[in-house]
Amino acid sequence: MSTVPGLTAKPVNPSWRRREAGTFLATGIAGLTGSSVLHSQDIPEDALFFRSIVWYTVTAAVVCLTYALAVVLVRRFPTARRSRFEGQPAVLLPTWPVRWWFNSVLDLGLLVLSGFWVYLAWNASLDRLFLIGLALVPFTYFAARWATKAAGRCRREALWVTETDIVHDSERGRARVARADVIRVQGWDDGDGAGNDVVAVLSSTAACRSFGPPLLTMVRPPRSATHTSVSTTLMGHPAPEIAAWLSPPEASVESDAERAPRRWRLWRRRSG
């Protein structure tokens, strides 16, 4: 599988752009406003705990505004390209990396913030052990999230296609389906009216999955072992075309635009 398919390059979904830019623009403005109010309260110089919250809020707000600007400016998402997967020739369908790095930066900021709290608790003069225990809870959680990413159990959304397998990377982890086991592949563009594009792969056997703990990945695990749901919103090709390319020759591909929203809702209820 070294030939890149001739899939159409799609424009950025306007529903997704409006929702994404509006949400993080509002979040960034709210964060700057809130930190400004806290800063105006004349916080004592030695109140480092409260000052650290203000520092992080300002940083997170700037990151949110930067991300909102990137959403407004992006015109095309990454398209399919030749690559290698585990030493085999493959076609890679990546997603727009900015959202992944945005989440990673916020996680890193929370890890640094909670680590600073552990430092403050360690140097506290009263209730030292109690404060260290409290500070270690968020620090341990965000350190475990980064360890989950380092172990490959929380990945940037992508689709790898080899001669033998379809491999889906996501924030849950990695799912692998043998192409010989694929029964049907369906694709919906903006099937729920909210800018979400999805490719659904139905296989005859359970997908081989290496997922991280849902509490650490903050993503609910799928309900069905034979259904693999791939978010293609941030990919550069229409979901129906990706589904047609991945479908086995004897399988049928959903193409009825009028019935797509209804089938999308049925899929969501079945697979979560």
Side-chain angles (χ1 to χ4, degrees):
M1 178 59 65
S2 57
T3 304
V4 178
L7 302 176
T8 305
K10 71 175 183 182
V12 175
N13 191 309
S15 299
W16 172 84
R17 190 196 299 276
R18 288 193 298 269
R19 182 191 61 196
E20 199 83 349
T23 298
F24 289 98
L25 178 62
T27 302
I29 293 174
L32 289 178
T33 303
S35 59
S36 176
V37 171
L38 286 175
H39 185 70
S40 66
Q41 299 303 310
D42 194 21
I43 301 175
E45 291 292 335
D46 58 349
L48 295 180
F49 174 78
F50 293 102
R51 286 188 173 276
S52 68
I53 295 176
V54 175
W55 297 336
Y56 177 77
T57 303
V58 172
T59 303
V62 172
V63 172
C64 287
L65 293 175
T66 302
Y67 175 72
L69 178 61
V71 169
V72 172
L73 294 179
V74 65
R75 290 294 174 263
R76 296 284 182 183
F77 290 142
T79 54
R81 65 174 184 263
R82 285 186 295 178
S83 185
R84 298 190 70 83
F85 179 82
E86 296 181 347
Q88 300 181 53
V91 173
L92 170 63
L93 279 75
T95 54
W96 189 51
V98 177
R99 182 59 190 270
W100 169 257
W101 287 112
F102 166 75
N103 292 335
S104 298
V105 167
L106 291 184
D107 271 357
L108 179 61
L110 289 169
L111 178 62
V112 172
L113 177 65
S114 56
F116 182 67
W117 291 348
V118 173
Y119 168 78
L120 292 179
W122 184 267
N123 290 279
S125 56
L126 299 175
D127 298 325
R128 180 178 174 183
L129 292 179
F130 175 72
L131 293 176
I132 290 176
L134 285 180
L136 278 174
V137 173
F139 177 78
T140 302
Y141 175 79
F142 289 107
R145 271 184 59 81
W146 270 94
T148 300
K149 289 185 178 183
R153 298 301 179 91
C154 182
R155 299 173 179 268
R156 171 185 160 194
E157 192 98 23
L159 197 62
W160 304 81
V161 183
T162 69
E163 290 289 350
T164 57
D165 296 298
I166 298 173
V167 182
H168 174 222
D169 286 344
S170 69
E171 292 187 4
R172 293 184 180 127
R174 171 167 286 174
R176 184 193 300 251
V177 178
R179 299 188 70 178
D181 295 334
V182 174
I183 299 174
R184 184 172 66 254
V185 184
Q186 296 175 298
W188 297 271
D189 280 346
D190 197 12
D192 62 349
N196 295 319
D197 304 340
V198 172
V199 166
V201 180
L202 174 63
S203 56
S204 58
T205 59
C208 179
R209 289 167 172 162
S210 56
F211 287 175
L215 181 62
L216 293 178
T217 60
M218 295 191 294
V219 179
R220 186 176 61 182
R223 296 176 183 175
S224 173
T226 58
H227 289 74
T228 302
S229 180
V230 182
S231 174
T232 62
T233 303
L234 304 184
M235 293 182 183
H237 303 294
E241 289 193 21
I242 297 175
W245 170 51
L246 296 177
S247 292
E250 67 277 7
S252 61
V253 180
E254 178 62 65
S255 59
D256 188 346
E258 295 181 355
R259 299 175 63 187
R262 179 177 63 84
R263 294 191 178 185
W264 161 259
R265 291 192 293 270
L266 290 173
W267 170 261
R268 289 293 295 274
R269 285 198 293 268
R270 291 178 62 187
S271 63

